[in-house]
Amino acid sequence: YSAAWVSSLSMGMVFFCSPIVSIFTDLFGCRKVAVVGAAVGFVGLLSSSFVSTIEPLYFTYGVLFACGCSFAYQPSLVILGHYFKKRLGLVNGIVTAGSSLFTVSLPFLLRVLIDSVDLFNTLRVLCILMFILFLAGFTYRPLVSNAKDKEGAKKGKFRFPPEKKVFNFSVFKVLSYRIWAFGIPAALFGYFVPYVHLMKHVKDRFGDSVREEVLLLCLGITSGVGRLVFGRVADYIPGAKKVYLQVTSFFFIGLMSMMIPLCHVFGGLIAVCLFMGLFDGCFICIMAPIAFELVGAQDVSQAIGFLLGLMSIPMTVGPPIAGLLRDRLGTYDVAFYLAGVPPLIGGAILCIIPWVHERQKLKERAKAVDGETTEKMLENESTLVSDAAEKPVKEMESGF
């Protein structure tokens, strides 16, 4: 239970900081935020390697390292929208698939490192990756949008923008975005449970007779494939109908979570993880394209930030509750059954988004047509009034 809090707090903080990260990204640009985030993550990971009890890890790893990762991660999604428009889904798939490579390789690397140099030195070795991330942040080439920004950059002046631009809550005025922003967190209460507790469940059920890292390997490989495949598929699905891909992914992820306790053969768990990884990749790679469709390019940064911030609550709370159930019941079976319910409910909520979004578009078009009609009527009316005013003047001139 206590150990589950460290990993779940870490994942929760990555998402909890996202609204703040989006504001800083809008103010200072992707490059500065990513570089500072990687530096903070490096400090958090390095300090975690010097603690000897679990309590300090709540801060060094669960808060400091996670906040640094959040500040380094989100700009990597935002910067893509600066350079790619038409194939944004495919580009997101390629970029996010890179993390799957480490998901595949890290479990084996970590096992070798821990066995040879112990846990604390392993954390110090992983600091090398954070330093590489720090250097990579300098490659984010910011796009200056207008001449005023260029002048401000040359003079070295920083003007704090209006409060409405900093805290862009106008995205919540879009009904389809509101449903999306609250429907996804509702689906995520059980989403992260298998990722935290699956290895322990395997040890409880199969002992040391199997290598549980194989399951992470399956999750990582198919997640990478899913991000590439579904990222490309998303480019062919018009508008808000991309949401149906997320609905499908939540349905299968919920179903696979419920099937974990039913697998009494290790091969069955491998099959479950293959499907779960595939649809996990689907869910992750199309978040940015959906946000782009619902709120537009101008507001997409903070739209993603607010969504990730709301996601932090269920992703932090879910795994510790599952750990508590295991401590009380002596098995993870009930925890995995319950973990499959929220994705099914959340997926059902998301189904109405394309219909709502289409109705909003029709209303906006109707308003635009009404506005044009009103303008034309006013123009015609003003023309008639001016003609009527000119007529008596002409008659008076002809009388003289």
Side-chain angles (χ1 to χ4, degrees):
Y1 176 69
S2 300
W5 265 111
V6 176
S7 56
S8 118
L9 179 63
S10 174
M11 183 57 68
M13 284 302 296
V14 169
F15 291 99
F16 181 76
C17 293
S18 295
I20 303 169
V21 177
S22 64
I23 293 170
F24 275 86
T25 302
D26 286 344
L27 292 178
F28 301 107
C30 295
R31 178 188 290 177
K32 291 179 182 177
V33 174
V35 168
V36 171
V40 172
F42 177 87
V43 172
L45 193 59
L46 185 63
S47 58
S48 297
S49 68
F50 291 100
V51 301
S52 55
T53 58
I54 198 168
E55 286 79 12
L57 283 175
Y58 291 138
F59 174 73
T60 58
Y61 189 88
V63 176
L64 196 61
F65 172 67
C67 286
C69 289
S70 180
F71 274 74
Y73 167 69
Q74 195 171 325
S76 70
L77 296 180
V78 175
I79 197 70
L80 298 178
H82 289 195
Y83 299 100
F84 301 95
K85 301 294 180 187
K86 189 177 180 181
R87 295 285 180 259
L88 186 59
L90 176 61
V91 171
N92 270 277
I94 293 171
V95 171
T96 55
S99 63
S100 297
L101 295 176
F102 285 92
T103 304
V104 170
S105 57
L106 271 180
F108 301 98
L109 176 63
L110 292 177
R111 172 63 69 90
V112 172
L113 286 172
I114 290 173
D115 291 343
S116 54
V117 297
D118 73 43
L119 175 63
F120 303 113
N121 286 317
T122 297
L123 292 175
R124 290 163 197 159
V125 172
L126 292 178
C127 287
I128 298 172
L129 298 178
M130 291 304 300
F131 184 71
I132 294 172
L133 189 61
F134 171 78
L135 296 177
F138 287 100
T139 64
Y140 293 175
R141 184 183 170 192
L143 295 178
V144 183
S145 57
N146 53 49
K148 289 182 180 179
D149 291 339
K150 288 181 181 177
E151 289 175 8
K154 286 179 182 177
K155 292 177 182 177
K157 292 181 180 179
F158 171 74
R159 292 183 179 180
F160 201 82
E163 186 179 348
K164 288 183 179 179
K165 189 176 180 181
V166 176
F167 302 99
N168 188 12
F169 293 110
S170 62
V171 293
F172 287 101
K173 292 179 181 178
V174 182
L175 179 58
S176 55
Y177 174 77
R178 285 205 306 273
I179 298 171
W180 190 58
F182 290 102
I184 286 183
L188 292 179
F189 273 98
Y191 182 88
F192 197 47
V193 170
Y195 292 89
V196 174
H197 295 290
L198 183 59
M199 300 299 103
K200 187 71 170 64
H201 169 72
V202 171
K203 280 195 173 182
D204 289 347
R205 177 159 291 186
F206 300 101
D208 296 326
S209 61
V210 296
R211 297 190 64 180
E212 62 270 17
E213 293 93 345
V214 174
L215 298 179
L216 290 178
L217 180 66
C218 295
L219 283 169
I221 291 174
T222 53
S223 181
V225 172
R227 295 174 198 199
L228 291 171
V229 171
F230 288 107
R232 187 71 176 115
V233 169
D235 290 328
Y236 292 105
I237 298 177
K241 290 182 180 179
K242 292 180 176 67
V243 171
Y244 289 132
L245 286 177
Q246 281 191 330
V247 172
T248 305
S249 66
F250 280 137
F251 174 78
F252 277 98
I253 287 170
L255 189 62
M256 292 302 106
S257 296
M258 290 179 171
M259 289 185 68
I260 289 173
L262 302 176
C263 296
H264 297 282
V265 180
F266 190 66
L269 275 179
I270 290 176
V272 164
C273 289
L274 289 172
F275 276 101
M276 187 176 287
L278 185 68
F279 289 99
D280 168 77
C282 173
F283 164 69
I284 290 172
C285 75
I286 59 173
M287 283 180 61
I290 290 174
F292 180 85
E293 293 291 344
L294 297 183
V295 302
Q298 189 175 359
D299 300 324
V300 74
S301 173
Q302 294 207 28
I304 293 174
F306 287 131
L307 173 67
L308 296 179
L310 291 169
M311 286 167 56
S312 68
I313 300 170
M315 296 192 80
T316 305
V317 172
I321 292 176
L324 185 62
L325 286 171
R326 192 266 174 191
D327 292 344
R328 295 287 175 87
L329 302 175
T331 176
Y332 281 111
D333 289 1
V334 174
F336 284 125
Y337 286 134
L338 293 177
V341 175
L344 299 179
I345 296 173
I349 293 171
L350 297 182
C351 281
I352 66 172
I353 289 178
W355 176 74
V356 171
H357 191 67
E358 195 59 35
R359 284 195 64 185
Q360 283 179 325
K361 276 185 160 183
L362 291 173
K363 284 182 181 179
E364 288 172 4
R365 287 172 192 164
K367 282 182 182 179
V369 171
D370 289 343
E372 288 178 7
T373 306
T374 306
E375 282 181 12
K376 286 180 181 179
M377 288 176 66
L378 289 172
E379 284 177 8
N380 292 334
E381 201 172 306
S382 61
T383 305
L384 291 171
V385 169
S386 61
D387 289 345
E390 286 174 4
K391 206 171 186 181
V393 172
K394 287 180 180 177
E395 288 177 358
M396 289 175 66
E397 285 178 355
S398 61
F400 284 112

